[in-house]
Amino acid sequence: METLKIRSGELTGMRGQKNWIKRAAARAMLRAVDFTKEADFDKPLIAVASPYTNATPCNNHLEKLGHRLKTQLMEKGSMPLIFGTPIVSDGITMGTAGMKYSLVSRDLIADGIEMMIDAYYCDGAITLGGCDKSIPGAVMPLARTNVPSIFIYGGTILPGRYKNRDLTIVSTFEAIGAYSRGEMNQKDFHHIECHSCPGSGACGGMYTANTMSSAFEALGISLPRTASTQAVDHNNRLSPQKLEEVERASLAILELIRQRISPRNIMTRDAFLNAVSVVMALGGSTNAVLHLLAVAHEANIDFTLTDFQKISEKVPLLANMKPFGDYVMLDLDRIGGIPMVMKELMDAGFIHGDCVTVTGKTVRENLIDAGQIPTNQKVFFPISKPLSKAGHHLRILRGNLASEGCVMKLSGKEIKCITGPARVFEREEDALDAILDGKIQKGDIMVIRYEGPKGGPGMREMLSVTSALVGADLGKNVGLITDGRFSGGTHGIMVGHVAPEAQVGGTIALVEEGDLIEIRPFENTITLHVSEGALKQRREKLKMPEKKYKRGVLAKYYDCVGSASKGAITT
C-alpha cells in the first residue's frame, strides 16, 4: 500500500527503515500530545494554521473551526498539527499607528506558516483565514512550500440591520463623517455603531476579505462554493456550511497527497488570470492587486500590473455589491456564489476552464453543476447586460507622478478627467483632521504621502479618510492620491499604491500645496503639472525622512519590503 507520508518520515521515522530508531526522541514527544496509538506514526502529518483571536470578529470563530477541522482530519486518517498566527484587525486599528502592522502581518503570517510546514516536514497543509491579511498570508506559504494544500475561508459576517437597511463596518466609518458634519443625530450614530457587526465573520461587503476569498476560489486553491458562505448562524454558532466545508477539506487533502497535486500545479498563470477576472467582475478591492502579485511571486509566476489592466479592459463589472453597490456577500451566496460567477465568465471566454484545482478536477469539471444567473434579482448581472462595461472598475495608471504605476478604483463611475489643486499631507491623521474640520473643498485633490510600504512603514489603509469624505458628501467631488492603500470598503475618487513611494524619492514626495494634478482614468494616466526643471530643483532640495523605527518588526519590514508595484513583497 502506497504511503501518504511523503515527507514526514524524516521527522517521525519510517517503520522498518533505518531512521526509525534515530527518530525515537521525536516520537516520544509526540506521544505526549495526540499520537496515542502506534498506527498514528504511519499517518500523514497535516499542518493546520488556525489564526484565531478574539481581537476581531473576522477570526473570532476560527479556534472552534480549526479544532473541528482537526477532529475531522484525525477521523479520516491523518495527524494534524494545529497552530495559530498573529492577527491585526484592519477595521479596529484603522486610523492609528497600529494599522502600520496590518500589511506587515501578511508576511509574518506567511513566514510562520512556512516555518511550521517545513520544520515539521508536513505532508500537506490546510490553512484558515478570516481578517484581510490572514487570507493572502495563509496562501503565500502554500506556494512557497509547495506541499499539497487547501485554503479554507472563515466566512462572511451576517449583515447588521438598522432602519430596514443592511449595515457593515463601513456604515460606521461613514457615519463618523456624517455625524461630524452635523448630518446625523447622536441616536442614529450610536445605533449604527451597535448594529454594524452582529457576530463573527469577515466584513460583509465586497471588501478585501471577501474579494480575496473569491479570488482564491477562482485560483483553485479553495474548494468550490466556499468563498461566499457565512461564518456563523444568528446565534453566533459555526454555520452548517462551514462545518461541511472542513469535512470536505479533510478528505480532499488526502486525495491531493495521493495524487501528488501541489499548489504550483494549481497556481498557474492561467489560474491567476481567472482570479483577476473574478475580482473585476465582482468589483473587488484594490488590495487584490497587491496580494495576487505577492502570491504569484511566491509561486514563481511572472505576473505584473499590466496583466491587471489587460483583464480590466475585457471583463465588465457585474456585481452590485457594497461598498459602491447595494448588496453583501450573503446575497451573492444565496444566488449561487462564486461557481455561478465563474460559469458566467467561462461561458463568455474569460475563464480558463482547464486549470487544475484542489478537488483534483479542472475548473470546467467543477462548474458542470453550477447554476445560471437567476432572474428577478439585482445582485449579479449577466455579461449581456452588465452593471457597467469593461474597464470601469480597477485601472492601472502611470505618469510622472507614478512611473511604476498606481491603482484607481472606479467601481462603475464614468470619470473621464479629474483636475484639481493638490492638498498635501504627510500622514493620514492630518488628512482626516482637515476633512472633519471642514478644510477640504470640492475640487481638491488630497495627497497623502509617506504612507507607503517603507514610508509608513506598512502601507496603511485610508478608510477613515475616504469614509469621512463620503460622510461629508465630498466623495464624488474630492480626489485622493496616496502611496498607501485603500480598504476594500473604500469608494470615491481614489488612487492608491503610488510607486515609487515618497520614502524612496518618488515624485509624490515632490508635490507641493496647490500644484495642479490631472487624472485621466481611461487613458491610464496620472500627471503632476510641474515642469521637469522645477521638479529637478525640488529634488535637489528634498530631505528624505529618517527611518522611523530603528528596531523591532517594523524596522525589519522597512529593510526587506519592496515596491507596491510588485506586491510589497519581503522575499
Side-chain angles (χ1 to χ4, degrees), residues 268-287:
T268 62
R269 179 173 171 77
D270 283 349
F272 279 98
L273 295 174
N274 288 349
V276 177
S277 293
V278 167
V279 169
M280 294 299 176
L282 292 176
S285 166
T286 53
N287 282 314

Side-chain angles (χ1 to χ4, degrees), residues 243-480:
L243 294 176
E244 186 263 345
E245 288 164 22
V246 297
E247 182 173 8
R248 287 167 58 197
S250 68
L251 289 168
I253 190 65
L254 296 178
E255 192 59 30
L256 288 173
I257 297 172
R258 190 171 288 112
Q259 294 188 41
R260 305 297 196 266
I261 297 175
S262 298
R264 292 183 198 171
N265 300 128
I266 294 168
M267 297 183 193
T268 62
R269 179 173 171 77
D270 283 349
F272 279 98
L273 295 174
N274 288 349
V276 177
S277 293
V278 167
V279 169
M280 294 299 176
L282 292 176
S285 166
T286 53
N287 282 314
V289 178
L290 202 69
H291 298 325
L292 287 173
L293 287 173
V295 177
H297 168 77
E298 302 294 357
N300 291 328
I301 298 297
D302 182 18
F303 209 71
T304 69
L305 290 176
T306 300
D307 293 304
F308 284 87
Q309 184 54 42
K310 288 180 178 179
I311 296 172
S312 170
E313 291 169 355
K314 296 178 181 178
V315 179
L317 177 61
L318 304 177
N320 179 21
M321 306 280 285
K322 292 179 182 290
F324 57 88
D326 300 319
Y327 296 95
V328 296
M329 193 62 155
L330 197 57
D331 296 310
L332 184 67
D333 186 66
R334 287 171 179 146
I335 62 170
I338 302 307
M340 179 269 297
V341 173
M342 292 183 69
K343 189 173 193 313
E344 176 69 8
L345 293 173
M346 187 176 70
D347 289 347
F350 297 137
I351 289 288
H352 297 272
D354 56 351
C355 294
V356 177
T357 72
V358 291
T359 63
K361 300 177 181 179
T362 65
V363 167
R364 182 173 289 103
E365 289 171 326
N366 287 342
L367 297 180
I368 288 175
D369 296 325
Q372 300 291 334
I373 300 174
T375 57
N376 301 318
Q377 53 82 30
K378 297 182 179 179
V379 180
F380 190 81
F381 293 79
I383 288 175
S384 59
K385 295 182 180 179
L387 186 66
S388 188
K389 59 186 178 182
H392 282 65
H393 182 46
L394 301 183
R395 298 200 65 93
I396 306 301
L397 311 182
R398 289 184 171 87
N400 68 343
L401 194 50
S403 59
E404 292 179 11
C406 57
V407 184
M408 184 175 190
K409 184 178 181 180
L410 286 175
S411 300
K413 292 185 288 293
E414 191 70 49
I415 300 173
K416 294 184 178 180
C417 181
I418 307 158
T419 305
R423 302 296 309 279
V424 182
F425 301 92
E426 310 299 328
R427 61 182 196 139
E428 177 188 3
E429 290 87 345
D430 296 338
L432 179 61
D433 289 343
I435 298 167
L436 298 181
D437 292 342
K439 296 179 180 178
I440 301 300
Q441 306 300 318
K442 292 181 178 180
D444 287 344
I445 296 183
M446 301 177 70
V447 177
I448 306 177
R449 62 192 180 193
Y450 295 104
E451 291 285 4
K454 288 184 180 290
M459 206 178 179
R460 289 193 290 180
E461 292 181 346
M462 305 290 146
L463 182 58
S464 295
V465 175
T466 59
S467 296
L469 284 172
V470 172
D473 198 28
L474 294 171
K476 297 180 180 179
N477 307 104
V478 171
L480 199 162

Side-chain angles (χ1 to χ4, degrees), residues 73-88:
L73 285 165
M74 294 180 77
E75 290 179 357
K76 302 300 188 299
S78 61
M79 295 304 295
L81 302 179
I82 190 167
F83 56 93
T85 72
I87 294 297
V88 178

